Amino acid sequence: SAVISQKPSRDICQRGTSLTIQCQVDSQVTMMFWYRQQPGQSLTLIATANQGSEATYESGFVIDKFPISRPNLTFSTLTVSNMSPEDSSIYLCSVDSWPENTEAFFGQGTRLTVV
Amino acid sequence: SQELEQSPQSLIVQEGKNLTINCTSSKTLYGLYWYKQKYGEGLIFLMMLQKGGEEKSHEKITAKLDEKKQQSSLHITASQPSHAGIYLCGADMNSGAGSYQLTFGKGTKLSVIP
């Protein structure tokens, strides 16, 4: 099974600033996913991060706002840039364990509040 | 112990057969979400349930939340190979305001044999 360490667990940031969230996995994984969960809503996929290539963004999310790095098979970062209060959310990273495992692996989440 | 128990862990069914996946908690579920994930793809949102006894259907997939709001089931009728994937339940178990982070089950890997 994969263990994911995500940090920070929470932060309060000023509008206009940027925050980088880190996700470290204890084993090599092909794909990592970044999600956003806003209050009262379901998870929304932001992007898929593959090692050695640019992240693939879902509709409504752009690289300038959410730049992602994936320097190796165990690590990824998501940056929330030029933050506004609308960016206040929980951000989650997840790894693709299919087809070897049946579990879905998530980081602990980063709760971001923008003031 | 896992706060949200999902069963079975894996399931192999013949095409055309019905199947049920369960998600159980000892705590009240204030929101229950079902997702599906295929290899190489992110989670796909299927349905959300909030009220005790609520039932929702989309195509051949039906999800229910029991009256006590502690168990949900996902039922697939006449399964097809396209239904194969990992099914994941996620729950809002936070009764207070200001906390809405979801707790996830471990997932159920469904294989459908043609």
Side-chain angles (χ1 to χ4, degrees), chain A:
Chain A
S1 62
V3 176
I4 304 175
S5 175
Q6 184 177 340
K7 56 182 181 181
S9 59
R10 58 175 61 217
D11 208 341
I12 300 173
C13 300
Q14 295 289 327
R15 67 174 67 201
T17 63
S18 298
L19 175 72
T20 295
I21 303 167
Q22 299 181 0
C23 194
Q24 178 77 51
V25 190
D26 68 344
S27 58
Q28 293 185 339
V29 293
T30 305
M31 291 186 173
M32 295 179 75
F33 303 93
W34 286 98
Y35 296 91
R36 179 173 74 183
Q37 188 209 337
Q38 293 177 304
Q41 297 185 25
S42 174
L43 289 181
T44 301
L45 179 64
I46 297 172
T48 303
N50 294 330
Q51 192 268 335
S53 63
E54 280 196 10
T56 303
Y57 289 83
E58 298 298 304
S59 174
F61 298 96
V62 295
I63 188 172
D64 290 345
K65 176 67 177 177
F66 297 100
I68 287 172
S69 78
R70 183 81 200 274
N72 56 54
L73 290 173
T74 63
F75 187 78
S76 178
T77 66
L78 170 76
T79 298
V80 186
S81 303
N82 188 24
M83 290 184 284
S84 65
E86 291 71 36
D87 294 320
S88 296
S89 184
I90 292 173
Y91 292 85
L92 278 166
C93 66
S94 176
V95 301
D96 186 347
S97 63
W98 177 282
E100 291 79 15
N101 298 302
T102 61
E103 288 187 48
F105 302 106
F106 291 91
Q108 300 88 338
T110 297
R111 181 163 180 174
L112 170 63
T113 303
V114 183
V115 297

Side-chain angles (χ1 to χ4, degrees), chain B residues 45-62:
Chain B
F45 171 71
L46 296 175
M47 277 172 275
M48 177 194 171
L49 306 165
Q50 280 188 306
K51 301 176 184 176
E54 186 175 7
E55 179 176 321
K56 288 186 178 177
S57 294
H58 176 68
E59 296 180 344
K60 295 185 178 180
I61 301 177
T62 300

Side-chain angles (χ1 to χ4, degrees), chain B residues 29-107:
Chain B
L29 307 174
Y30 293 94
L32 191 289
Y33 302 79
W34 283 101
Y35 300 91
K36 178 185 175 183
Q37 183 177 21
K38 288 194 163 188
Y39 176 61
E41 301 177 10
L43 293 176
I44 299 168
F45 171 71
L46 296 175
M47 277 172 275
M48 177 194 171
L49 306 165
Q50 280 188 306
K51 301 176 184 176
E54 186 175 7
E55 179 176 321
K56 288 186 178 177
S57 294
H58 176 68
E59 296 180 344
K60 295 185 178 180
I61 301 177
T62 300
K64 301 178 186 179
L65 182 61
D66 73 341
E67 289 289 345
K68 290 175 61 179
K69 294 173 60 176
Q70 289 184 319
Q71 182 173 15
S72 178
S73 60
L74 185 81
H75 185 77
I76 298 177
T77 303
S79 58
Q80 300 169 354
S82 60
H83 288 126
I86 293 179
Y87 289 81
L88 186 71
C89 62
D92 178 358
M93 303 167 83
N94 308 294
S95 58
S99 179
Y100 52 89
Q101 186 154 0
L102 297 183
T103 299
F104 293 96
K106 291 194 172 186

